[in-house]
Amino acid sequence: MGLWHRGVEIKTPEQIKAMRRAGLVVGETLAELRDAVRPGMTTADLDAIAADAIRSRGATPSFLGYHGFPASICASVDEVIVHGIPGDRVLADGDIISIDCGAIVDGWHGDSAITVALGEVPEQVTELLRVTEEAMWRGIAAAHLGGRVTDISHAVEAFVRGQGSYGIVEEYVGHGIGSAMHQPPNVPNYGRPGRGPKLVRGLALAVEPMITLGSPDNEVLEDDWTVVTTDGSWAAHFEHTFALTSEGLWVLTALDGGEEALARLGAPYGGR
Ligand code: MG
Ligand code: MG
């Protein structure tokens, strides 16, 4: 475990390096899934690929058994926002699928999600994916030493609102991460800046906007996991785990550590 200070877990540079190993397992697993996913597969097929990818790297899937969750990924298709259970649903051309994945290496966690379009989708769906992914990056890039957690929240919301009429899901939020997948503080995807715990060296957070084409209102299906939009509108979900280091930001679940996106957004890269 890291050292707890003012309600958050502070990681040493060595512990952040261990989290990078977990993050790379997650990033590489998601890259494999992005390459593999195609119409005709089931979401259970994707789960099997993910379990193999994680275990073949000597890591443990963190989702499996988490509060009884029965799989190694969440697979959320079309109007499913998050927490879809992999099963016999067959993916079709024109679907979108959000894949959320977590892994543990030496007790340290990584957590990341992508949304992928299968074949041709309408322009507004392509835009939904672009806006959601970029909102995540804007949120991460808004983090800096001495700032506050809701600086991230505000940057996510401001970007999304500036892009058009989208729904921002409020019930599910980003989080601290480290020796457990979910730790304080919460990282909402909306709100005023300058609030919440201070952003300090050694803090690691998962930023994960969930954005809808219609209303953000949602409900949980009878399986007690699957979260769907109430109006049936489609939803996207992107997530990365990042750490604040003395040099800047290190996106632990991005294959390049976030270097390219952070440079584009003018935020210091801290993965050296
Ligand atoms: Mg996740
Ligand atoms: Mg998460």
Side-chain angles (χ1 to χ4, degrees), residues 63 74 99-102 110-113 175 181-182 206 208 237 239:
F63 291 12
C74 296
I99 305 169
D100 197 343
C101 180
D111 184 10
S112 181
H175 49 91
M181 179 162 61
H182 292 131
E208 49 178 320
H237 177 211
E239 176 180 25

Side-chain angles (χ1 to χ4, degrees), residues 22 42 69 74-75 78 84 107 114 120 125 134 145-147 198 202-203 226 231 241 252:
T42 67
F69 192 78
C74 296
D78 298 347
I114 56 174
E120 292 292 307
V125 173
E134 182 64 10
L145 295 178
K198 229 178 195 168
L203 182 62
T226 310
D231 66 6
T241 296
L252 304 171

Side-chain angles (χ1 to χ4, degrees), residues 45-66:
D45 293 335
L46 289 175
D47 183 56
I49 293 169
D52 278 353
I54 294 168
R55 293 195 190 281
S56 72
R57 289 169 171 82
T60 306
S62 49
F63 291 12
L64 189 62
Y66 182 84

Side-chain angles (χ1 to χ4, degrees), residues 103-116:
I104 310 168
V105 174
D106 295 334
W108 295 97
H109 286 250
D111 184 10
S112 181
I114 56 174
T115 302
V116 182

